[in-house]
Amino acid sequence: MKHPTHSRLGKISRSTAVCAFLGLSAAAFAQSPPTSPTSAPAHPVDVSPALSTSQRREAENAYLAGARLLDRNDLTGAEAQFSKALELNPSNHDYIMAANVTREHRVTELVQQAGKARLLGQTKKAEALLAEASLLDPQNPIVTQHLPQESVSARFHPEIENHAEPWLEEGPSIAGPVMLLPNSSTQTFHIRSDIQATVRQVLSSYGIRAVFDDSIGHQNLRFDLENVQYARAVPILLQMGGLFAVPLDSTSVIIASDTPENRQRLERQLQETISIPGMTPQEMNDLGNVVRNVFDIKQLSIEKGLGNLVLRAPEDTLKAVNLTLADLLDGTSQVMIQLKLYSIDKRRQRNIGTQLPQQVGLYSVSGEAAKIVNQNQDLVNQAIAEGLVPAGASNIDIALALIGSGLVKSSLLSSTVGFFGGGLTQTGVTSNVFPTFNLALNSSNSRALDDIQLRVGDRQTANFRVGTRYPITTSTYSTGGVANSSALAGININGVSASSLLSQLGGNSTGVTIPQIQYEDLGLTLKATPTIQKSGAVSMHIDFKIEALAGTALNNIPVLNSRQFVSDITVDNGTTALLVSTLTKSESAAVSGIPGLGELPGFQTAAADKVAETDSSELVLLITPHVVRRRSNTIAGPRIALNLPQQPD
């Protein structure tokens, strides 16, 4: 018995082109198949007179209807609408581009469907789909490379006879599954006999010869059906008798009792290799266990190094496995999330005004001079003896001479701003500060732009974190005190006394302080979980956080500034949403001057010093999702008719 073998190839990834052809670039139009004198376009363009308003409006409506159908992935309907618009207005360049590009996508879709049908063993369906694609665009290279070589040669080179070269002849190949070919007649049965005679009579009426296995008994069976064909009558008969049939050739079958042992012994097994790239060994094991348990496949091996599943099972079971794993192996949808963060911080500080003295003191000049002379009498006598100071000089002259020579210093005179009066009533005026004029401006402006792009699968969470991990001391604890060094007197370690070593470690009696450190993620943290809806919109769960040092500390623990945004939003594909927009502004002003005078209008600058500070911070968060890969939009998969053998009770 031959065991046919075939391999399941990966399907061509398909991305539906949903676009408004009004903005289609010339590069995309350049990819459409070029027209030549031998190949007329699908819609010939006629030079027609000026269009009426109703024709132009009808063409625009057809064009918009085609765009809506294209958005719903209805390429056939979209092509019909674009063709209608082109017939009504042949001179519109957008209509020509729309019809050509839609026809290309339609051809690609037919080729992909043909490849899927060929993988499932539906050869006739695959040939019909390729023939339809060839009618749409006979010179498309995608179509010609999938057509049989003899068909391509006959189409484009009719002068060449279809004679295969000896070296191109195929050698011996493994045969495919046996196909049973009963006649299509309609029969009526009213049979009361043993099971073998009943089965033989029913099958012979459709031109099929029955061969019976030794496991079939001779129990009686009553079979009544009217006006039925083979596909309806034989499954009912086999189910009534607890039997199953295996084709021997196109007109013969072997009949046996439906038991797992007989199926394992008689059913033909096909081997198929299913490629599952991109999966981890654990995921491959899980998938293999699911296939083995759901479809009751006994012979299944996992090639982890090659990323393949090798199965041996009946043809119907393998078809069911292919239909079930089609969407799973194609992968899920993927979204490119583009996030832009604009942060602007401004600080402006101005110091304008006059700072006048706020404290004024008075003192007697003669009294202060007498005090200096009395405290420095020896220096005065020496200066008089040397002739530096006249003998009859006044105390003021003597004090000025001593201060001028540098022998005496007076803090009172250094803060003197002026004198008034004369003689014994001369008075000095002191101040704590001298008048100052301030005209200063400090301005700082910082701008930051974070442009983040994340590619994440549908319903999967992506984490993005940028910044630093900052250590923060949360708590400290100290170890207990060690033994007194006097108790270790006379003990040496490598020639060094133990008490000396303890003193170097600082552990005589105070112990050791150990801090508890916790690392905080400073910077930007983004968590995004997108979900693609059936309508094409993208629903996202966004968790956005910005954390930084505040510049202050509490109990020697730094204070953190945190901004966090958590929300669920839904936006269309390619649409930008404004998530966060904050503005923080603070102003402070300090005025120093003479009370009353500094508060009067017009004197706040001339008689007072004003320090003004303005701080502003702006934050804008924009997010745009782009669907870069979309899986099939089918709500439910194909119906799988599968009857697995029942386990005996």
Side-chain angles (χ1 to χ4, degrees), residues 189-251:
F189 303 101
H190 298 285
I191 304 174
R192 292 172 179 81
S193 181
D194 67 338
I195 189 170
Q196 293 190 13
T198 303
V199 172
R200 183 180 293 109
Q201 182 178 349
V202 172
L203 291 179
S204 62
S205 63
Y206 295 105
I208 303 299
R209 183 175 64 91
V211 179
F212 295 96
D213 186 68
D214 296 336
S215 60
I216 300 179
H218 295 278
Q219 66 271 22
N220 292 329
L221 181 67
R222 178 179 178 179
F223 186 67
D224 295 312
L225 281 178
E226 295 183 356
N227 300 325
V228 291
Q229 293 183 344
Y230 177 87
R232 179 66 175 169
V234 174
I236 295 176
L237 176 61
L238 296 179
Q239 187 174 4
M240 292 175 60
L243 309 174
F244 76 99
V246 177
L248 297 176
D249 53 38
S250 60
T251 59

Side-chain angles (χ1 to χ4, degrees), residues 14 16 326-334 458-459 532 627 629-634:
R14 175 181 177 274
T16 304
D327 288 341
L328 180 62
L329 297 182
D330 284 343
T332 60
S333 303
Q334 292 186 351
D458 187 20
R459 294 181 178 88
I532 301 178
V627 179
R629 187 178 188 275
R630 180 185 290 276
R631 64 177 304 170
S632 176
N633 287 331
T634 55

Side-chain angles (χ1 to χ4, degrees), residues 80-141:
Q81 292 295 330
F82 291 145
S83 301
K84 179 180 177 181
L86 186 59
E87 292 175 359
L88 294 172
N89 188 1
S91 61
N92 193 305
H93 185 67
D94 293 336
Y95 300 167
I96 299 175
M97 289 195 298
N100 289 338
V101 176
T102 307
R103 185 174 65 254
E104 282 190 3
H105 286 294
R106 176 59 178 162
V107 170
T108 304
E109 183 183 46
L110 291 173
V111 173
Q112 292 174 354
Q113 292 177 358
K116 183 187 297 183
R118 184 178 288 109
L119 291 176
L120 297 177
Q122 302 171 359
T123 307
K124 294 183 178 179
K125 181 180 178 181
E127 293 177 354
L129 292 171
L130 288 176
E132 183 180 355
S134 179
L135 290 176
L136 290 175
D137 193 354
Q139 295 184 357
N140 193 309

Side-chain angles (χ1 to χ4, degrees), residues 244-313:
F244 76 99
V246 177
L248 297 176
D249 53 38
S250 60
T251 59
S252 302
V253 294
I254 182 172
I255 308 297
S257 296
D258 192 359
T259 62
E261 293 79 10
N262 289 338
R263 285 187 175 271
Q264 184 70 24
R265 178 171 57 91
L266 297 176
E267 274 191 330
R268 285 183 170 86
Q269 303 287 319
L270 299 180
Q271 179 173 315
E272 182 173 10
T273 301
I274 300 178
S275 177
I276 48 175
M279 287 191 176
T280 62
Q282 181 62 36
E283 292 175 345
M284 294 181 63
N285 288 332
D286 295 341
L287 182 60
N289 293 332
V290 170
V291 174
R292 184 183 291 111
N293 297 330
V294 172
F295 297 97
D296 195 22
I297 297 179
K298 305 299 181 183
Q299 302 181 26
L300 185 147
S301 61
I302 302 175
E303 298 178 348
K304 298 181 180 179
L306 301 177
N308 296 330
L309 287 180
V310 182
L311 299 82
R312 287 181 59 85

Side-chain angles (χ1 to χ4, degrees), residues 150 153-154 157-165:
E150 59 272 12
S153 300
H157 305 283
E159 70 279 1
I160 301 178
E161 296 183 358
N162 189 13
H163 295 294
E165 299 293 341

